[in-house]
Amino acid sequence: MSILIQNGILVLPTGPIQADLRVAGGRIAELGPGLAPGASRVIDAQERLVFPGFIDTHTHFEMNKGFPNETADDWYTGTRAALAGGTTTVLDFAEPERGATLASALETWHGRADGAACCNYGFHMTVKDWSPSIRSELREMTAAGVTSYKVYLAYDNLRLSDAAAYEVVKAVGAEGGVVGCHCENGDLVTEGIRAQQAAGNLSPAAHPLSRPPAVEAEAVGRWLTIAELAGCPVNIVHLSTLRGLEAVRAARTRGQRLYVETCPQYLTLTEEKYLEPDGLKYVMSPPLRTARDCEALWEGLARGDIQVVGTDHCPFNYHKEKQLGKDDFTKCPNGAPGVEERVPLLFSEGVLKNRISVNRFVETVCANPARIYGLYPQKGILQPGADGDLVILDPAAEWTITHDKMHSAV
């Protein structure tokens, strides 16, 4: 049966318009004013906003599976939470074991997601090793639908050398893909942690002190230098600082093409949270920053310096996994939830507070992710032929985020 959404305000690339929209066979069939109901099931949107389904570019479901610090959400609970928050597509990270093939990681992640997920999904591929055999797998990954990869400049068990990262960017670029990067200077993070431990600072308040903004900014600049020399566009994930954003703007002034993602936590929360009794909840990397950084990121969104708002949804139970760090913040699993809260937070704090326009909102949570990761125009836009993944949002609704209303397992 087809579905007709009447009396809605359709958010199109050219701006919102009042019109109807019909979905048939899982795709948008037509849109326009006064569409006849015919045999369609009718939904009265009552002048609410109608969006393409939102895309979360950064989730971690069933990460560290089988270990004490396994993430709280599996593919069912995580995607259930995504749908409850208006997200109809998630992009998660397939992570091969050190020394293993990319194909083995893709098979493992499909084994966890297939038949369990409640919404559409795809995978970025994390590259922990680089060798001719890994390089030879890229064509196979492209055929399997992998369009993006991730490398780390931090964490000894994850990071690549600058030379290897350069080779990854060149090789993936030749395949038409894009590489994202966790931008922190790994050596300086290690030294920062040692300094806090030597001073006896083991509480969550020491977490942001161990990896200050300069640590991110240096890595952003280095990553963009690598990309410049490789001659390929790249992505920066979960940007958290004004200094990192300044490095991005400098690169663009030089003519570089790149993409930037930030997350709701870096727009709405500040480092004062680490001083609270439950400060372990906020141990994530990069850490929460200052109010000045938050406002700079909002400005970056408004100006188009930042293309995407993902979540880095990586939840751990505060009363279980997070307590691993109760005596030493370095032992606390890094991460927080967000896949359900992202859209309402960004709309409430961004659109309704006039920090960003409704069109910038839909660009950052929908259209830009679809374009960057090869989903456009199947997703990311309301037009005939696009997938019928739709969200109806009431901008006048008021509610408070509480644990009993959320659908994540955390």
Side-chain angles (χ1 to χ4, degrees):
M1 175 185 289
S2 62
I3 298 172
L4 178 64
I5 299 175
Q6 291 184 325
N7 305 316
I9 299 173
L10 309 185
V11 183
L12 306 180
T14 53
I17 66 166
Q18 183 135 21
D20 302 338
L21 183 150
R22 194 187 318 271
V23 174
R27 296 186 180 274
I28 297 173
E30 57 180 334
L31 50 87
L35 297 182
S40 298
R41 172 192 167 200
V42 175
I43 296 175
D44 186 356
Q46 299 177 359
E47 299 190 353
R48 292 174 172 87
L49 298 171
V50 181
F51 294 99
F54 302 123
I55 301 168
D56 191 341
T57 54
H58 197 146
T59 64
H60 295 284
F61 302 139
E62 293 188 48
M63 191 180 79
N64 302 331
K65 191 169 180 66
F67 290 90
N69 60 338
E70 182 176 345
T71 50
D73 276 319
D74 60 21
W75 275 87
Y76 171 69
T77 64
T79 55
R80 175 183 66 181
L83 277 180
T87 292
T88 60
T89 301
V90 298
L91 298 176
D92 204 84
F93 292 85
E95 299 191 355
E97 297 292 333
R98 269 262 157 96
T101 64
L102 304 183
S104 68
L106 191 61
E107 180 181 9
T108 296
W109 256 256
H110 269 298
R112 296 173 185 176
D114 295 356
C118 303
C119 67
N120 294 158
Y121 56 92
F123 301 107
H124 310 287
M125 180 62 66
T126 299
V127 179
K128 300 179 182 178
D129 300 295
W130 187 244
S131 65
S133 63
I134 296 294
R135 171 68 180 86
S136 68
E137 286 193 82
L138 295 186
R139 184 63 55 86
E140 177 188 351
M141 292 298 100
T142 301
V146 175
T147 63
S148 59
Y149 296 77
K150 182 182 181 182
V151 299
Y152 288 79
L153 297 183
Y155 306 129
D156 290 342
N157 63 328
L158 292 171
R159 62 173 163 158
L160 296 179
S161 69
D162 291 352
Y166 168 81
E167 292 294 336
V168 172
V169 171
K170 285 190 66 176
V172 170
E175 281 292 312
V178 64
V179 184
C181 183
H182 178 116
C183 291
E184 290 185 295
N185 183 307
D187 289 339
L188 294 181
V189 168
T190 299
E191 289 304 309
I193 289 172
R194 286 174 180 164
Q196 295 305 313
Q197 290 174 324
N201 298 331
L202 300 177
S203 76
H207 178 58
L209 299 177
S210 72
R211 51 222 305 154
V215 170
E216 176 178 88
E218 186 282 331
V220 168
R222 180 154 44 99
W223 175 238
L224 294 178
T225 298
I226 290 169
E228 180 182 12
L229 294 176
C232 301
V234 292
N235 187 24
I236 297 166
V237 301
H238 52 51
L239 187 75
S240 68
T241 62
L242 168 59
R243 288 192 60 170
L245 184 58
E246 289 171 341
V248 165
R249 288 170 175 157
R252 287 209 175 104
T253 299
R254 296 191 298 268
Q256 270 190 262
R257 183 180 166 206
L258 62 133
Y259 311 110
V260 182
E261 168 202 89
T262 192
C263 307
Q265 55 269 35
Y266 304 121
L267 296 166
T268 59
L269 301 175
T270 61
E271 60 190 6
E272 284 77 16
K273 289 291 181 184
Y274 295 111
L275 301 174
E276 296 181 358
D278 59 355
L280 284 171
K281 288 182 179 179
Y282 307 98
V283 173
M284 62 189 76
S285 294
L288 303 178
R289 306 295 187 177
T290 67
R292 184 176 179 226
D293 290 299
C294 290
E295 288 307 313
L297 295 176
W298 278 116
E299 181 185 353
L301 278 177
R303 289 177 39 166
D305 297 328
I306 298 171
Q307 285 66 55
V308 173
V309 176
T311 62
D312 198 4
H313 179 88
C314 189
F316 299 96
N317 191 306
Y318 173 66
H319 300 289
K320 295 179 182 177
E321 295 86 10
K322 284 289 186 181
Q323 293 305 312
L324 294 170
K326 63 183 176 63
D327 298 318
D328 182 349
F329 75 95
T330 66
K331 295 179 171 57
C332 180
N334 277 239
V339 73
E340 184 171 357
E341 298 84 0
R342 175 186 65 139
V343 168
L345 279 174
L346 192 64
F347 191 85
S348 174
E349 299 302 300
V351 178
L352 295 183
K353 291 189 176 180
N354 296 315
R355 287 179 167 126
I356 58 173
S357 67
V358 70
N359 272 74
R360 184 68 77 200
F361 166 79
V362 76
E363 284 174 3
T364 58
V365 294
C366 190
N368 287 341
R371 291 188 181 100
I372 294 167
Y373 297 113
L375 302 174
Y376 194 88
Q378 181 181 351
K379 298 185 184 296
I381 187 172
L382 299 179
Q383 70 176 20
D387 284 358
D389 305 337
L390 307 174
V391 177
I392 300 174
L393 186 150
D394 183 358
E398 294 186 12
W399 54 285
T400 301
I401 294 175
T402 56
H403 183 267
D404 63 305
K405 293 178 181 175
M406 297 294 102
H407 296 80
S408 166
V410 69

